[in-house]
Amino acid sequence: MLKGRPLVPQRHQRKATSDRGPPKYQRIIRMLASYAFASCPRCVGALAARTADMCGFVGVISPALPIRDDLLSAMRDRLVHRGPDNGSNWIRQGDRVGLAHRRLSIIDISHLADQPMATADGNLRLVFNGEIYNYLELRSELAALGHVFRTRSDTEVLLTAFDQWGEGALERFNGMFAFALWDERSRRMLVARDRFGEKPLFLGRGRFNTLVMASEMKAILVHPLVRCSVSERALERFAGGTWYEDDELTFFEDVERFPPASAAWFREDGSEERRWRYWTPDYTSINSDLTPREAVDRFSELLQRSVTLRLRADVPVGSSLSGGLDSSVIVGYLARERSSASFTQNTFSAVFPEDPTMSEGKEIDAVTAHTGVASFQVTPDPLRLAQESALLHWHQEEPFLSASIYLQWCVARLARQHDTTVLLDGQGADELLAGYQFYFRQRQLDLLDQGRLALATRESAKFNRRLRIASEQYQGSQRRFNASVAYSADELQKLGRPSSSVSHYPYCVGTAPAKPGFRLRRTISEALLYNSLPMLLRYADRNAMAFSREGRLPFLDHDLVDFCVCLPDDLYVRNGWQKWILRMAAGSTIPRSIRWRADKVGYAAPLDHWLRDKLHDWAHERIMATALHSLPGYHGQKMATLWQEHQSGHYNHSWELWRWISLSEWLCIYRSGWWRAGSLSRAEIDS
């Protein structure tokens, strides 16, 4: 423990090793520098034409070969979009361990807070991506123990916390983070990731026991000892519609997705010593003694505290506003914060004025008028989606299941254009509070399991009536939501008391039991930990980072989550209202029309119309691409039929078609060599 010793950044302590290493290794480096790749007319031009300048890091353990500074810099600078404000390296004496960092300055924007950062004696060195929101409280606690700080950064607090508490520091952090910490005393590397995986972390394993860790896979793939080989298992899962990003598997054979809420020690020989999970929710611990009023008050208190913590920054803070309940509540709570703190509150939204069925424009306008915030809006252009698709896939790194993330992309660009670095968003509320409409069936079945048919019938009648009334407001409302998503009263009567097994995925850690009476809890626990939130967090992180923006998610404050996990089901769903506790906690912070709206569309792109109009030729070329023909699950005649049925306007196959469009785009980038040696230009992407 280093009480009273200041911490120093390693910005000027690089150890260049360009003249070191055996001839074979030097040849590999030269080969990498001059890597030749096949041109792909439809994607190489887009990738080369534009890029963006948040934090990202690289760590390397190379037991057999020295680490060259130029190679470490090349890996680091693949992440320049995550951190345009500074780039620094550190290579340990002996050349076998290296750390590198790209920084987007959010808290303490001085160069004193640059990384890699070390303790004064050099025993601990850290690279870190994310934010520790409770760093001020931890700093005060550590100062009382005798520690002296020389920066105002959360990075120094994180490093000092490990110096003081070791592994126990992990459970004290309220934040989003991924980091690598080298301990010279034990000659080991500690890597860890936040509870929900808000910040990414990947591990790559290469020849000669080389271990590479990084914020994005593209940095790992620069290393010549790590194969850039596509994972056939990942391809099969994605093509078969069973891709959830719910485990370590990635689209690259030798690259692993490090799991959330986990930490691991790696020895200097590259081997893994120990891995453990430091946080696991308990969905069987239900606080049945809570009254509804007590629950709402405590929920509101925890959410307000979460929002307040996430306002800590030395740069402008705004919010993303979709018009739905979740993001609107965040805007409302932020507006309430303005009464005690002076700041300009900007919101950023995507709208479709020419498609009122899909647009949330009137809901967004209602929220901004109610809260008095400055509203900035963008209408995503399908033609620009086609132009930027390769770049979007480059940043996302793996194919994705919905074109709707392009809306997030456009909103992040809009925030950059208006100089707003940090965006608060409402992601996580649906997974936490049973918000997805198709979850309501699980609630119905739980009530039947419990012999509460009368309550199931009453709730269902209210739920179905509200959706039916909401559907009458829109032409083609089925494009927006499914008004028949729940069982009808007649269907419930016929079901009586269900004896069917509980449908579930093969997850075990942290999920509710897969048994009658726990259907809803099982579903939301799977979504929070495995098959929904991890994908959404990937989309959000890469879209924000592409424009050097930071997304913060108040609903994923772990104190709030721990409280919500123990709520009785009747506070998730009450009187036929999903997310009942959130609606009650919203109070007067948002308009009543938003607080009690029944329909839910989320950030949905009108892809069905785009595919029949402006994206017609572009999309058809991709779904019929020869690169797809050999993949499992792809059948040319079936694809042609899906395409024709969609074009007829009688069917909406946009989700199914997009899966193959995205996979086609990703394969084009892969086969063009960009993952191994592509180098994007520094042209601005927010023009």
Side-chain angles (χ1 to χ4, degrees), residues 639-657:
M639 199 59 56
T641 300
L642 283 174
W643 179 258
Q644 292 301 325
E645 287 181 349
H646 185 83
Q647 296 305 315
S648 73
H650 299 302
Y651 300 88
N652 183 358
H653 296 312
S654 56
W655 280 79
E656 175 74 6
L657 293 170

Side-chain angles (χ1 to χ4, degrees), residues 474-502:
Y474 306 101
Q475 183 178 2
S477 63
Q478 69 279 0
R479 297 177 58 227
R480 186 179 179 92
F481 62 91
N482 179 7
S484 303
V485 68
Y487 291 113
S488 67
D490 289 342
E491 289 172 323
L492 287 175
Q493 292 290 339
K494 292 177 181 178
L495 282 171
R497 189 162 184 168
S499 58
S500 60
S501 60
V502 178

